[in-house]
């Protein structure tokens, strides 16, 4: 459940920045953003994320 808040923040920023942008460009941006967030969470949970960047 740690992913919900960053995902909501990221999606709201994409919405604010992307007003007036075509829907297909918004969709690609949303998919890429969620993939990056998911990748970071998976790497952190798997122990592959650098120790100095981990949350305490």
């Amino acid at each position: 459940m740690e992913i919900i808040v960053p995902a909501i923040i990221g999606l709201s920023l994409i919405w604010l920045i992307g007003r007036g942008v075509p829907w297909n460009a918004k969709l690609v941006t949303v998919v890429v953003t969620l993939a990056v967030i998911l990748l970071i969470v998976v790497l952190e949970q798997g122990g592959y994320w650098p120790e100095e960047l981990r949350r305490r």
Side-chain angles (χ1 to χ4, degrees):
M1 287 306 188
E2 297 174 356
I3 195 170
I4 293 175
V5 173
I8 291 173
I9 292 171
L11 291 173
S12 64
L13 285 173
I14 291 169
W15 179 78
L16 286 172
I17 293 170
R19 294 180 2 191
V21 174
W23 275 105
N24 56 354
K26 279 186 195 177
L27 182 62
V28 170
T29 306
V30 167
V31 169
V32 169
T33 302
L34 290 176
V36 169
I37 292 171
L38 185 62
L39 178 66
I40 290 172
V41 169
V42 167
L43 288 174
E44 186 178 21
Q45 297 297 322
Y48 298 109
W49 197 252
E51 187 64 37
E52 56 272 3
L53 296 178
R54 287 187 188 191
R55 286 195 227 159
R56 308 259 182 295

